[in-house]
């Protein structure tokens, strides 16, 4: 399976922060053989701009790609959870 190498922290959406919304956005992420994210789809979101922010972060993320039985990197889709927590 792919392993996350870098997943950037994106700015907390102002509306969500103002309303104190925290939680986890569940996504389906497809990682190419080069470790770059090809697609990121929100499966269960929180709204308030958090879904878009999580998707944006994953599109900028880098992974160690999955390896097939032939030992070569391959495209693979995984579930991913991106958590938002307001710093206090």
């Amino acid at each position: 399976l792919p392993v996350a190498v870098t997943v950037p922290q994106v700015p907390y959406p102002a509306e969500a922060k103002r309303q104190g919304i925290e939680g986890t956005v569940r996504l389906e992420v497809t990682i190419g053989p080069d470790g770059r994210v090809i697609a990121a789809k929100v499966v269960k979101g929180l709204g308030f701009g958090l879904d878009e922010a999580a998707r944006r972060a994953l599109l900028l993320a880098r992974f160690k790609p999955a390896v097939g039985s032939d030992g070569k990197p391959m495209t693979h889709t995984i579930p991913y959870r991106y958590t938002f927590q307001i710093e206090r």
Side-chain angles (χ1 to χ4, degrees):
L1 292 175
V3 176
V5 176
T6 60
V7 179
Q9 285 293 115
V10 292
Y12 214 103
E15 180 64 20
K17 195 172 195 177
R18 198 169 26 258
Q19 294 201 33
I21 307 297
E22 296 181 323
T24 300
V25 176
R26 291 178 33 211
L27 304 107
E28 187 174 88
V29 182
T30 303
I31 296 106
D34 63 355
R36 294 178 185 265
V37 175
I38 297 169
K41 175 184 162 190
V42 174
V43 176
K44 185 173 183 188
L46 299 168
F48 301 93
L50 294 168
D51 305 345
E52 296 81 3
R55 185 173 180 279
R56 195 167 43 253
L58 267 296
L59 289 172
L60 295 171
R62 294 292 176 264
F63 286 78
K64 180 178 176 190
V67 178
S69 57
D70 60 0
K72 294 182 181 176
M74 59 182 258
T75 299
H76 195 75
T77 301
I78 60 168
Y80 194 91
R81 294 171 181 254
Y82 193 93
T83 301
F84 289 92
Q85 187 172 7
I86 299 170
E87 290 184 23
R88 306 198 193 299

